[in-house]
Amino acid sequence: MRRKAQIIWEEISVYVYITIGLIIYGTGVTLFMIPYQITSGGVTGISSLIFYATGTIEVQVSYLTINAFLLIAAVKILGWKFCVKTIYGVLFLTFYMWAIQRVVEDPVTGDLPRLVKDQTFMAVVLGAVLEGIGLSICFSHNGSTGGTDIIAAIVNKYKDISFGQGIMLCDCIIISSSYFVYEHKYGPDEAWQMIVFGFTTFIIAGVTLDYALNRTRQAVEFKIFSRNYARIS
């Protein structure tokens, strides 16, 4: 009975940590990426581009729609075990991004505030660091935000392409394709600047993610030298 209670508590604590990670990630995207129209990777990046292009389809709407189709494929190909925490991550992040936008948006115009005024690069740094920290907490507890994680996992199952390489390839394609949206909206010069901001976000978030994950995976090794090695083992 005690063992069963311990397992339940451990599972609850995992979801608590995943939720904290999603909140940090969603805050970085909503408060620093979207107001400055910066494109990051993943389905969040695709959803952001749709919002920048249309001005009406909110990020969380297209994010949930795209992930719904990807999750249907993932359940069939990868099974339910892979998808349970991913489904939770997608649903919670969709709700949180909707909720935080309703809280901070201008009640008249509906615009999100620019917290660091006209300092776009500072928004890139802060948003990317929050994204990296949030994702590291999710990934270290086997959570996921869906999107390119699902695509990378499916590709990894059938092709000799690692999970990280799959995500990196998808993100590079998404950020590069944002040029066409920015060119139509701002012109070619501004479009290239936004592309640079996008790849800067990608690099900073990736470095932060790797650093945070590696810190949680530290280990200590003891070596014991003794003639009684058989009894010790």
Side-chain angles (χ1 to χ4, degrees):
M1 189 69 179
R2 183 179 297 178
R3 176 60 181 167
K4 186 177 181 180
Q6 183 181 357
I7 293 172
I8 293 173
W9 172 248
E10 288 176 354
E11 193 68 17
I12 291 173
S13 65
V14 165
Y15 277 93
V16 169
Y17 279 111
I18 290 174
T19 302
I20 293 171
L22 292 170
I23 289 173
I24 295 173
Y25 176 82
T27 300
V29 172
T30 307
L31 297 187
F32 295 103
M33 298 290 110
I34 299 176
Y36 293 87
Q37 300 206 349
I38 300 164
T39 300
S40 55
V43 170
T44 309
I46 299 174
S47 304
S48 299
L49 283 176
I50 295 172
F51 174 68
Y52 303 154
T54 62
T56 54
I57 303 176
E58 292 186 342
V59 173
Q60 64 272 13
V61 175
S62 48
Y63 171 81
L64 179 61
T65 304
I66 295 170
N67 271 298
F69 287 104
L70 290 174
L71 282 168
I72 291 171
V75 168
K76 293 182 177 180
I77 297 172
L78 303 173
W80 275 104
K81 188 175 181 180
F82 173 85
C83 297
V84 172
K85 289 187 177 71
T86 303
I87 292 171
Y88 171 77
V90 169
L91 292 177
F92 181 85
L93 189 59
T94 300
F95 168 77
Y96 178 74
M97 291 178 68
W98 170 84
I100 194 173
Q101 286 182 60
R102 299 293 82 81
V103 171
V104 302
E105 69 183 2
D106 188 299
V108 178
T109 63
D111 294 334
L112 296 175
R114 291 191 162 205
L115 298 182
V116 289
K117 306 303 180 183
D118 294 328
Q119 301 294 322
T120 305
F121 183 73
M122 184 59 67
V124 168
V125 173
L126 293 173
V129 168
L130 288 175
E131 284 187 9
I133 293 173
L135 288 175
S136 70
I137 296 173
C138 284
F139 292 164
S140 62
H141 293 86
N142 297 317
S144 172
T145 58
T148 50
D149 300 353
I150 298 173
I151 297 173
I154 293 174
V155 171
N156 176 251
K157 184 174 181 178
Y158 296 104
K159 299 291 183 180
D160 188 22
I161 298 176
S162 71
F163 190 74
Q165 289 175 334
I167 293 177
M168 185 180 295
L169 178 61
C170 290
D171 289 349
C172 287
I173 293 172
I174 292 167
I175 295 172
S176 299
S177 64
S178 66
Y179 173 83
F180 302 104
V181 175
Y182 292 131
E183 183 189 31
H184 177 74
K185 197 168 185 178
Y186 301 116
D189 294 336
E190 187 78 11
W192 283 116
Q193 183 179 3
M194 298 305 289
I195 289 289
V196 172
F197 283 144
F199 277 107
T200 303
T201 301
F202 171 67
I203 293 169
I204 295 174
V207 171
T208 305
L209 172 61
D210 287 342
Y211 177 76
L213 278 178
N214 289 334
R215 282 187 63 85
T216 61
R217 292 174 179 171
Q218 287 182 343
V220 177
E221 180 182 7
F222 291 93
K223 290 186 177 180
I224 302 173
F225 296 89
S226 172
R227 290 189 178 91
N228 299 317
Y229 60 87
R231 291 178 62 188
I232 293 174
S233 64

